[in-house]
Amino acid sequence: MEFNHIPVLLNETIEGLAVRENGIYVDGTAGGGGHSAEILRRLKSGRLISIDQDPDAIQTLTERFKKNENSIIIKGNFADMKELLAQRGLYRVDGVLLDIGVSSHQLDTPERGFSFHEDAPLDMRMSRKGTTAAELVNTLPFEELRRILFEYGEEKYAGSIAKGILAAREQKPIETTLQLAEIVKANVPQRVRRDGHPARKTFQAIRIAVNDELGVLRRGLEGAFELLGSGGRLAVITFHSLEDRLVKQQMAAWCQGCTCPKDFPVCVCGNKPKAKLVHKKPVCANETELTINPRARSAKLRICEKL
Ligand SMILES: C[S@@+](CC[C@H](N)C(=O)[O-])C[C@H]1O[C@@H](n2cnc3c(N)ncnc32)[C@H](O)[C@@H]1O
């Protein structure tokens, strides 16, 4: 299978993970295996567990790493990482990578229903299991739809788009990507229609809801941190502000020590930091990478080390 995806922030991520040749690593979002391949290249007796929930990715990874004895491939959700590893007798790891979001392969395969450029069934399920985008937009009540568009898409016109969706589905079910894109277009002001594609934020929001992307990220971060041994590193690449905020706040919470008020003469809380940041600021793609891969523009990499 052709799997087109250029790995983002590749060198920065692999260097940041400080891969040791005998270490155990998890790539929780292995996709086409771009980051996994670089980790595997650095292993001698170590292991890499590559996880993805998408059957297309699993097929690609299985083919790509079939001759590599250090590679273990698991189809599943990284939110269940601890359980997936425990089933294989693995309870401690030296590094975890999460490269959040959809792959270019998923975006560029029209029948997966992620793209507002091509007509296809409104699907958007990375795992190809569970509730589809069509089921959501045809059944959610107005207020829930509005909230999803506003919170996950940061869509200013969430209310009028949600209203448009409800009106349209009363006429006939919304079943395809272009049907939804047209409804969005008809329910935002003219000037928004000229400023990029007006359905971009709606599609992002629905995709996040279909795949519960924020919920699984929260569980994934917790699971990954519990699995890490002392000195182990967690590297997370995100592509929009909601996810980045979540990662930033979670890492800050692990890194925080004493939480006593500043005017307390001695610490009474006894809290000790559980981690330290590898970089103070998130790492972003440089100009060279951006010319090769414009999709890296919004990528942010944050890494912390467990103490
Ligand atoms: C941005 S791509 C990763 C690309 C990969 N780093 C590479 O170099 O090819 C994200 C991948 O993570 C997968 N994914 C997203 N959320 C997931 C989750 N909760 N559990 C497992 N896989 C997930 C997607 O199916 C997709 O293949």
Side-chain angles (χ1 to χ4, degrees):
M1 175 186 306
E2 181 99 28
F3 197 106
N4 290 320
H5 181 90
I6 307 172
V8 167
L9 293 166
L10 183 58
N11 295 334
E12 294 85 345
T13 305
I14 303 302
E15 270 171 32
L17 278 171
V19 178
R20 285 189 281 111
E21 61 185 29
N22 59 349
I24 300 177
Y25 295 86
V26 177
D27 181 350
T29 50
H35 290 96
S36 281
E38 282 305 306
I39 297 172
L40 282 168
R41 236 163 45 81
R42 286 162 175 78
L43 298 182
K44 280 209 175 120
S45 59
R47 287 282 175 278
L48 171 68
I49 298 91
S50 300
I51 300 173
D52 206 291
Q53 61 179 337
D54 185 335
D56 287 3
I58 294 300
Q59 196 186 327
T60 302
L61 295 162
T62 307
E63 181 59 28
R64 183 165 182 181
F65 302 133
K66 65 181 175 207
K67 296 208 175 106
N68 195 315
E69 290 179 353
N70 308 98
S71 159
I72 299 171
I73 294 163
I74 304 180
K75 179 161 157 296
N77 196 307
F78 65 63
D80 306 320
M81 190 185 308
K82 257 183 76 181
E83 296 73 22
L84 293 171
L85 265 67
Q87 285 161 10
R88 285 146 183 96
L90 295 165
Y91 301 94
R92 272 280 163 270
V93 304
D94 300 287
V96 177
L97 165 63
L98 297 177
D99 175 13
I100 299 301
V102 276
S103 65
S104 304
H105 172 79
Q106 288 163 330
L107 280 174
D108 299 340
T109 308
E111 58 273 23
R112 301 298 302 267
F114 289 102
S115 170
F116 41 78
H117 294 298
E118 315 248 8
D119 205 16
L122 194 53
D123 190 319
M124 300 198 197
R125 296 168 304 166
M126 291 192 218
S127 63
R128 297 193 181 227
K129 282 198 225 138
T131 308
T132 64
E135 281 163 339
L136 279 194
V137 298
N138 284 299
T139 56
L140 285 181
F142 169 80
E143 193 41 51
E144 182 60 359
L145 255 181
R146 194 203 59 78
R147 183 193 67 80
I148 287 173
L149 300 183
F150 183 73
E151 281 183 21
Y152 302 165
E154 294 171 327
E155 173 57 72
K156 218 158 94 189
Y157 304 102
S160 53
I161 297 171
K163 220 190 247 172
I165 290 175
L166 260 72
R169 78 190 191 195
E170 262 179 34
Q171 305 301 312
K172 61 171 179 171
I174 303 163
E175 281 166 345
T176 72
T177 48
L178 287 193
Q179 240 181 306
L180 179 61
E182 284 305 316
I183 296 167
V184 178
K185 226 174 175 176
N187 286 282
V188 296
Q190 193 84 38
R191 70 192 135 77
V192 180
R193 293 184 220 171
R194 288 197 300 267
D195 178 22
H197 198 293
R200 192 180 55 77
K201 290 179 175 177
T202 295
F203 271 62
Q204 174 187 300
I206 303 286
R207 191 201 87 203
I208 290 176
V210 166
N211 297 287
D212 184 23
E213 291 181 37
L214 296 175
V216 294
L217 177 56
R218 253 181 232 114
R219 284 170 53 209
L221 292 175
E222 278 165 22
F225 199 72
E226 282 176 37
L227 275 172
L228 284 180
S230 170
R233 290 188 170 190
L234 169 62
V236 189
I237 304 171
T238 58
F239 290 84
H240 62 79
S241 53
L242 284 175
E243 293 166 342
D244 181 55
R245 203 174 312 141
L246 215 155
V247 175
K248 182 180 167 182
Q249 286 172 353
Q250 179 59 81
M251 287 190 177
W254 289 327
C255 294
Q256 187 175 27
C258 170
T259 54
C260 295
K262 286 216 171 34
D263 55 351
F264 274 30
V266 287
C267 168
V268 292
C269 74
N271 287 339
K272 298 266 179 285
K274 297 186 192 70
K276 66 174 186 198
L277 293 179
V278 172
H279 312 280
K280 280 218 167 72
K281 293 242 149 77
V283 179
C284 299
N286 59 30
E287 283 306 317
T288 318
E289 176 165 3
L290 290 178
T291 46
I292 303 164
N293 185 12
R295 277 180 182 167
R297 186 160 301 282
S298 45
K300 283 191 178 152
L301 166 67
R302 294 186 188 268
I303 306 175
C304 70
E305 182 176 309
K306 191 163 177 177
L307 297 175

